[in-house]
Amino acid sequence: METINDIFATLSSYLWGWPMIILLLGTHIYLTFRLKIPQRKIFTAIKLSIRSDKNASGDVSQFGALATALAATIGTGNIIGVATAVALGGPGAVLWCWLTGVFGISTKYAEGLLAIKFRVKSENGKMIGGPMYALERGLGWKWLAILFAIFTACASFGIGNTVQANAIATISHETYGISPYLVGSVVCALVAAVIFGGVKSIARVCSMLVPFMALFYVLGCIYILIVNQSYLWQAVCLICKSAFSPQAAGGGFIGTTVMMAARFGIARGLFSNESGLGSAPIVAAAAQTRNPVRQALVSSTGTFWDTVIICALTGLVIVSSIIAYPDITYSDGAALTKAAFSKIPLLGAPILSFGLLTFAFSTILGWSYYGERSIEYLASKWNKGSEQQRSRKRKLSITLYRALYIIAVFVGSITSLSIVWNLADCMNALMAIPNLLSLLFLSGIVVKETKEYLWNDQLDKEMEEE
């Protein structure tokens, strides 16, 4: 197992090296300028995200689709991932992480647009879509679409399930002394109660959970920053300076370079907001929206909230705490996170534990939908026979996936998962490659739709369903 883990660790390091970072960040920047900086429409997008578009085609509201995507996106990466970037790349990594989020808004916009443009209605009348449909219907690359679906289904059991369940069990045991077996059983029951209700049930729960957990965490971070206010400006200056020149703010930062800050900041930012991975457009395809651009704008707010706001706050909390408490020592991102938050009197530890618990649970729910839609796509390609037989096999495939997904939650709660982390990193990188190809090769369609609805100021115009 150690050898296998080393193989996946090496492969993960290669896949998430500079070529992938350049491809992802390059796509972000390319789409930003080709789409005439859609980030300037972020406040319009936020307004659209809380409006109902009930008369439009779709299964869940725009906010429900956004909440489900945010549930999957806002996870342990927003807390431990940022700390990992700081531990490995220094305080300057926070700025690179934030800039990645700003440019990533454009990619998330394009993903949402293509999700609506190429979505289809399933045999049971549900709207389904995502990169696999854009690849097949938009580019005719069925083989690459199948690969994307396989990688997504595999990733759902890794980063979307077992590692999150393990985080919940570990936090509960270390903080409150609760048995991992008990935690695993409870989380299994909660996940089963939600996901067997389908996308509407997942969206309904996420619509209630995501705003609450995000608001609680944001307010908690603001509280910590008020406690650290004497060091806040110093932290901001250090982050900005360290992004472009080596700066030491403690033993862990000595020896970091600009290249290290950029690499780890960009990598963790990309991993956190999932812009370019192709996950969020799978649920965006189910949204009730009158045209592709409306949902594209709503989808783009996911990256704004995830990275531009939440990751930035986490970074400020960690760097300001390190400056305020020079005795903080750490060996990795998790240790740094715990050390930084535990220094805050009364509320530091509860804010961290509540944030990690709720973020991890919501990620399990969101990724269950991504994996389910991928399994449904694969089943539709491989099943033969009459329409009734195909429908029965599709339902059996989904039921089996849900059962395995729930079992994986329990396994993740009681098992060490270093190999799963590395495997999950590999699967996410392999998801990104075909999705980025679809974004680049279909960017002309994205521009055409944007011109028709956004640049011509016709956001209320109804699209013609294909």
Side-chain angles (χ1 to χ4, degrees):
M1 290 298 293
E2 185 176 346
T3 301
I4 294 174
N5 186 43
D6 290 341
I7 292 173
F8 280 120
T10 302
L11 179 60
S12 173
S13 177
Y14 174 77
L15 289 172
W16 283 102
W18 278 110
M20 174 62 76
I21 291 174
I22 292 171
L23 177 61
L24 272 163
L25 188 59
T27 301
H28 290 350
I29 295 173
Y30 169 74
L31 290 173
T32 291
F33 289 102
R34 186 160 192 201
L35 295 172
K36 299 181 180 179
I37 314 180
Q39 291 88 339
R40 58 195 173 90
K41 296 290 184 179
I42 193 66
F43 293 109
T44 299
I46 292 172
K47 290 178 182 177
L48 287 174
S49 69
I50 58 176
R51 291 179 184 173
S52 178
D53 210 356
K54 293 182 179 179
N55 294 326
S57 300
D59 302 320
V60 297
S61 67
Q62 290 178 313
F63 180 75
L66 173 63
T68 304
L70 278 172
T73 305
I74 299 177
T76 54
N78 293 81
I79 304 176
I80 296 177
V82 174
T84 299
V86 173
L88 297 175
V94 176
L95 180 61
W96 288 108
C97 181
W98 185 81
L99 288 173
T100 300
V102 172
F103 284 106
I105 289 173
S106 299
T107 301
K108 192 64 73 73
Y109 169 93
E111 289 178 318
L113 191 152
L114 293 177
I116 299 297
K117 181 67 177 177
F118 293 108
R119 69 181 180 180
V120 299
K121 186 172 289 188
S122 67
E123 295 173 355
N124 59 358
K126 302 294 184 182
M127 286 293 187
I128 53 177
M132 50 279 207
Y133 293 91
L135 285 164
E136 181 180 349
R137 301 184 68 217
L139 294 169
W141 296 348
K142 182 179 177 180
W143 64 275
L144 198 55
I146 291 174
L147 284 178
F148 174 85
I150 292 173
F151 296 144
T152 303
C154 292
S156 71
F157 285 99
I159 193 64
N161 182 321
T162 49
V163 296
Q164 306 297 332
N166 186 262
I168 294 174
T170 301
I171 297 161
S172 300
H173 180 67
E174 292 182 353
T175 307
Y176 307 107
I178 304 174
S179 168
Y181 289 88
L182 177 59
V183 173
S185 299
V186 171
V187 176
C188 277
L190 292 174
V191 171
V194 177
I195 69 174
F196 273 101
V199 64
K200 291 185 178 181
S201 174
I202 296 172
R204 182 167 59 251
V205 172
C206 291
S207 295
M208 294 185 291
L209 177 62
V210 169
F212 172 72
M213 73 178 193
L215 180 62
F216 180 89
Y217 182 73
V218 167
L219 291 176
C221 286
I222 291 174
Y223 162 77
I224 295 175
L225 292 177
I226 291 174
V227 173
N228 291 346
Q229 60 180 310
S230 299
Y231 306 93
L232 185 56
W233 180 245
Q234 187 178 348
V236 172
C237 292
L238 181 61
I239 288 170
C240 294
K241 291 178 181 178
S242 299
F244 304 102
S245 61
Q247 295 285 326
F253 295 138
I254 294 176
T256 61
T257 65
V258 175
M259 293 294 285
M260 290 172 66
R263 176 181 175 178
F264 290 109
I266 293 171
R268 299 323 299 179
L270 295 170
F271 194 81
S272 171
N273 60 52
E274 297 183 10
S275 293
L277 291 188
S279 52
I282 296 175
V283 70
Q288 295 172 329
T289 185
R290 65 187 66 182
N291 62 61
V293 169
R294 286 175 72 94
Q295 183 55 38
L297 288 168
V298 171
S299 294
S300 71
T301 64
T303 299
F304 173 78
W305 294 121
D306 174 89
T307 305
V308 178
I309 301 298
I310 294 179
C311 285
L313 285 173
T314 301
L316 284 172
V317 165
I318 290 172
V319 176
S320 64
S321 294
I322 290 173
I323 296 173
Y325 307 98
D327 62 319
I328 287 180
T329 58
Y330 49 88
S331 57
D332 53 35
L336 174 56
T337 303
K338 188 174 182 179
F341 277 81
S342 64
K343 289 291 185 177
I344 307 304
L346 298 178
L347 296 181
I351 289 170
L352 176 61
S353 60
F354 179 82
L356 287 173
L357 286 170
T358 55
F359 285 11
F361 179 70
S362 70
T363 298
I364 293 174
L365 295 182
W367 268 91
S368 71
Y369 183 76
Y370 298 159
E372 185 177 311
R373 292 285 74 81
S374 298
I375 292 296
E376 182 174 11
Y377 176 81
L378 293 173
S380 70
K381 301 305 173 189
W382 291 340
N383 279 338
K384 304 296 182 182
S386 66
E387 183 176 336
Q388 186 177 13
Q389 289 175 323
R390 291 198 303 272
S391 177
R392 186 164 57 249
K393 291 178 181 178
R394 179 187 59 79
K395 291 178 181 179
L396 179 61
S397 298
I398 292 174
T399 301
L400 180 61
Y401 170 80
R402 290 172 176 173
L404 291 174
Y405 195 82
I406 293 167
I407 293 172
V409 170
F410 185 79
V411 173
S413 301
I414 62 173
T415 309
S416 178
L417 295 170
S418 59
I419 188 172
V420 178
W421 267 109
N422 290 321
L423 178 61
D425 280 350
C426 293
M427 291 300 104
N428 276 288
L430 292 173
M431 284 173 60
I433 294 171
N435 179 59
L436 290 170
L437 289 175
S438 71
L439 290 172
L440 293 172
F441 281 95
L442 295 172
S443 60
I445 292 178
V446 177
V447 171
K448 179 182 176 182
E449 296 290 320
T450 302
K451 179 180 179 181
E452 179 177 354
Y453 296 105
L454 184 60
W455 298 344
N456 292 337
D457 197 22
Q458 297 191 76
L459 282 177
D460 292 330
K461 180 181 176 181
E462 295 278 352
M463 67 177 172
E464 294 182 7
E465 293 283 358
E466 298 183 4

